[in-house]
Every structure is written in C-alpha cells, then in structure tokens.
Amino acid sequence: MKVDKITISKPLVSEAAIKEVVRVLKSGHISQGEVVGELEKQFARYCGVKYAVAVNSGTAAIHCVLYGVDIKPGDEVITSPFTFVATANPILALGGKVVFADINEIDFCLDPSEVKRKLTNKTKAIFPVDLYGQPADYKHLNLRKGIKIVADACQAIGGSLDGKKVGSLADVSAFSLYATKNIMSAEGGVVTTDSKEIVGRCMMFRNHGQDPQRRYSYVDFGLNYRMTDVLAAIALPQVGRIDKITRERNLRAKRYTKNLSGLPGIILPVIRSNAIHCFHQYTIRVTDKAPISRDQLVIALNKANVFPGIYYPLPLHLHPHFMKMGYKEGDFPVAERIAKEVLSLPVHPAVTLKQIDFVSKVIKVACGEKGKN
Ligand SMILES: *Cc1c(COP(=O)(O)O)cnc(C)c1O
C-alpha cells in the first residue's frame, strides 16, 4: 500500500490568515502596530489574565519573563533538564545560575519534591516546563513565599489545570508561536501575566529598555524583541480556534490510546485528573520491557513513511554546554532514563484518524502483534 508521508507537524495557514497578511503588507504599517496589539488583547483574554506581550520568539518570551521577575547575576533558577535548550539559555544570559531538578516519570515535568531539595537562599524563581502540553504540577511547586513561579508554557497553549488556563498558572508565563507549535506565527512568542509591574518590565525589555513615555531614554538593559504586524496577522485568527485545536488533538490522542493500550512495555501518556492536556506531542515510552527498542521502532515507522519525533534525545545536563557547569551522568536519573524511552507520534490536526490507525498498526506489528499489513 502506498501511503502519504506522515510527519510530526504541519503548520496550517488559513485563507483568512493569508488575506490578513496581504492586507497588512499593503497597509504601510508592517512592524509592531495594531495587529500585534489585537493579538495581545485576544491572547490575554483567552488565558484569563490581564496582560499579554507579544515578542518575536519563544526564546525572547523566556528572556523577557526571567527579566520580568528580576533575575540578576548570582540568582538561582530551578528548572527541568528535560526540555529544549531555550528554557535554560536566557537564565544564563541574565547571569543567573541554572539549577536543574529531576522530573517525574508520569508527566515528564518538574517533580516538586526534587525541586524542594534544590532550594537555597539564592533561589529566585522556580521555572517549570509544561512539557508536551500538559501543565506542570503548579499546586505543589509553590514551595516558599517570595520565590516567583515562572512558566515555560511554550508547548502548552490550550492546556489548563483545575479549570485555570495555562498562562494564568504562574506569576508570568512564556509561550512560543514557532511554526510547529499548536498555534503559530512562523516565529513568535507571547508573555502573559496579571502583574502590572512584570508586564511593564517585559514591555521595556522588548524595546531596548527604553522608557515607554520617552523615546531614546534608556532606563535599563533591553533588546529588540518586538513582533511584527505581518506575523501577528498569521497568529491572530488562530487564537479563536485554540479550544478547537486542543479538542482535535485530544481526539487523536484518545485514538492512539485506544489503539495502543496493552502493548507490553509501552507506556502511554497519562493525563492528570485535574488537567487538560493540549497534546502538543503525544509521547509514548518504549521501555526495556518492550519487545522492540525505541530506536528500532523508529526505523520500522520510517520504513512505513511515518516520521515520529524524539523530544529530547539527551537531557540538557549531559550536553557539553551544561557539563562545563559541573553536571554529570547520574545527576537526574529519571530524566536520563526517560530520554532513552520517549517517542512522540504525529497527533496534529492534519493527521487523519485513519492515518493514526495506520501508525498504530505499524507499532503493533513491530511489537510482535499479528495484523494484516
Ligand atoms: C519551542 C520551545 C521553546 C522556544 O521557542 P522558540 O519560539 O523556538 O524560540 C522553548 N521551550 C520549549 C519547551 C519549547 O518547546
């Protein structure tokens, strides 16, 4: 049987968005302007917070939120080693110290009891990552008064915890609008917060540290992290569809879970009972009890024209960049083991249920279950 290539992501740009981009391009105002303002308004409303600030990448959003809570040289920020490098580098850019804590194997997010062990009198912020789109355990991460909770929500727009949307769960949250994310603007990012002080700092940081009232008056360090109206026009129509996108991804996730449950040594994603998972990724674990290794399974899927993803093949602390800071193998055993097991299957809205059944069948056959082609 000839099958279409099934890839891990596919950016969808509606005709409405294309029209809006063309309108902006012809309008004469293409850099940060009204469309960015409207995106911020709608994004804040969606997340249920007072303020949103749009910037030109998720990395910029993370840099802004950490500056927003005043991370300074010597401050310690506790975060997950099982994430993309953009979580950690902005901490270093501000002179802060990256303090990793291990994750739990249920939701792949920071384990509050591990975070607790890393607290010192220099801890300035706890920085969980809502990995794959499930909110971290915010309820138990609020460990000490005075320590800010900052969220790397780059993968988690549409998720929620106890009925509260991601973006409103921390003191300040960073989102990415990169092309592969649940909603996107090719490149882009958004900061959300209820704090007037933090939003003021983020807006200033986005614009060279300039006094918002007085151009060419520089109050503090800052960079150019502004988003353009051209790219905001791509994202804007998607904001109204976030819940629909989340439902479509959950429908596909459910189908995988139904198809794949009971396979020996394969662990399927767990959704915490008080959470809505936005399934940026549907990530299974291929443990050593499975009849096939994770890497062999990737080969079997590739042969069937299916291209899953591995996020992430190695925890941050085992890369040279972080080993230079003294981290070593064995420091975070859960993250180290999980990195060898994870496999993310295509779950985006452009994948059909039929294709999901096909991917599931390939996995079942590879695991030794009998099946017709
Ligand atoms: C995508 C992502 C980022 C960075 O976002 P960019 O828009 O690519 O700069 C940071 N953290 C996590 C967890 C991400 O998935």
Side-chain angles (χ1 to χ4, degrees), residues 56-60 62 83-87 129-131 152-155 175-181 186-189 280 312:
N56 51 27
S57 72
T59 309
I62 290 170
T83 182
F84 184 52
V85 70
T87 308
V129 180
D130 302 329
L131 200 71
D152 180 340
C154 282
Q155 302 186 352
F175 291 91
S176 168
L177 297 175
Y178 179 62
T180 60
K181 303 286 154 89
E187 295 275 7
H280 174 59
Y312 297 90

Side-chain angles (χ1 to χ4, degrees), residues 309-326:
I310 294 172
Y311 310 107
Y312 297 90
L314 194 65
L316 292 184
H317 70 283
L318 297 182
H319 291 265
H321 178 37
F322 297 94
M323 289 184 99
K324 277 183 260 175
M325 295 163 207

Side-chain angles (χ1 to χ4, degrees), residues 284-362:
I284 65 171
R285 289 168 53 196
V286 185
T287 68
D288 55 14
K289 294 189 180 66
I292 185 170
S293 76
R294 192 258 316 259
D295 297 342
Q296 285 171 313
L297 184 54
V298 171
I299 293 167
L301 285 161
N302 289 168
K303 272 194 191 137
N305 228 2
V306 178
F307 298 88
I310 294 172
Y311 310 107
Y312 297 90
L314 194 65
L316 292 184
H317 70 283
L318 297 182
H319 291 265
H321 178 37
F322 297 94
M323 289 184 99
K324 277 183 260 175
M325 295 163 207
Y327 288 110
K328 58 186 187 311
E329 190 149 7
D331 283 349
F332 306 105
V334 181
E336 288 169 25
R337 177 164 46 82
I338 295 288
K340 296 192 178 102
E341 296 176 348
V342 286
L343 184 64
S344 298
L345 306 175
V347 74
H348 54 87
V351 177
T352 64
L353 292 177
K354 217 171 145 188
Q355 286 176 318
I356 284 174
D357 292 345
F358 173 76
V359 175
S360 306
K361 180 59 94 19
V362 174

Side-chain angles (χ1 to χ4, degrees), residues 49-200:
V49 292
K50 286 190 190 141
Y51 310 107
V53 181
V55 292
N56 51 27
S57 72
T59 309
I62 290 170
H63 203 178
C64 282
V65 297
L66 293 167
Y67 174 82
V69 299
D70 198 22
I71 300 303
K72 285 205 286 279
D75 289 342
E76 294 180 358
V77 179
I78 304 178
T79 193
S80 169
F82 193 51
T83 182
F84 184 52
V85 70
T87 308
N89 275 336
I91 301 172
L92 300 172
L94 291 164
K97 185 173 172 200
V98 175
V99 177
F100 291 125
D102 212 347
I103 57 168
N104 75 64
E105 59 173 58
I106 306 300
D107 62 11
F108 312 106
C109 298
L110 272 181
D111 181 336
S113 60
E114 293 296 316
V115 173
K116 201 168 178 183
R117 298 199 309 131
K118 300 286 172 169
L119 289 174
T120 73
N121 57 11
K122 288 188 183 152
T123 307
K124 185 79 168 269
I126 296 172
F127 189 21
V129 180
D130 302 329
L131 200 71
Y132 307 141
Q134 172 148 245
D137 189 2
Y138 288 90
K139 236 190 201 159
H140 300 105
L141 284 168
N142 220 329
L143 289 162
R144 191 194 286 162
K145 237 181 134 168
I147 295 181
K148 293 283 192 234
I149 309 293
V150 181
D152 180 340
C154 282
Q155 302 186 352
I157 186 67
S160 65
L161 197 62
D162 293 315
K164 285 183 73 187
K165 293 271 195 242
V166 169
S168 71
L169 300 169
D171 290 299
V172 59
S173 307
F175 291 91
S176 168
L177 297 175
Y178 179 62
T180 60
K181 303 286 154 89
N182 288 23
I183 72 164
M184 62 90 203
S185 60
E187 295 275 7
V190 182
V191 169
T192 59
T193 183
D194 272 321
S195 161
K196 197 174 172 185
E197 190 201 334
I198 292 174
V199 77

Side-chain angles (χ1 to χ4, degrees), residues 75 81 86 154 179 239 252 263 364:
D75 289 342
C154 282
V239 177
R252 285 157 180 77
L263 287 180
K364 284 171 141 176

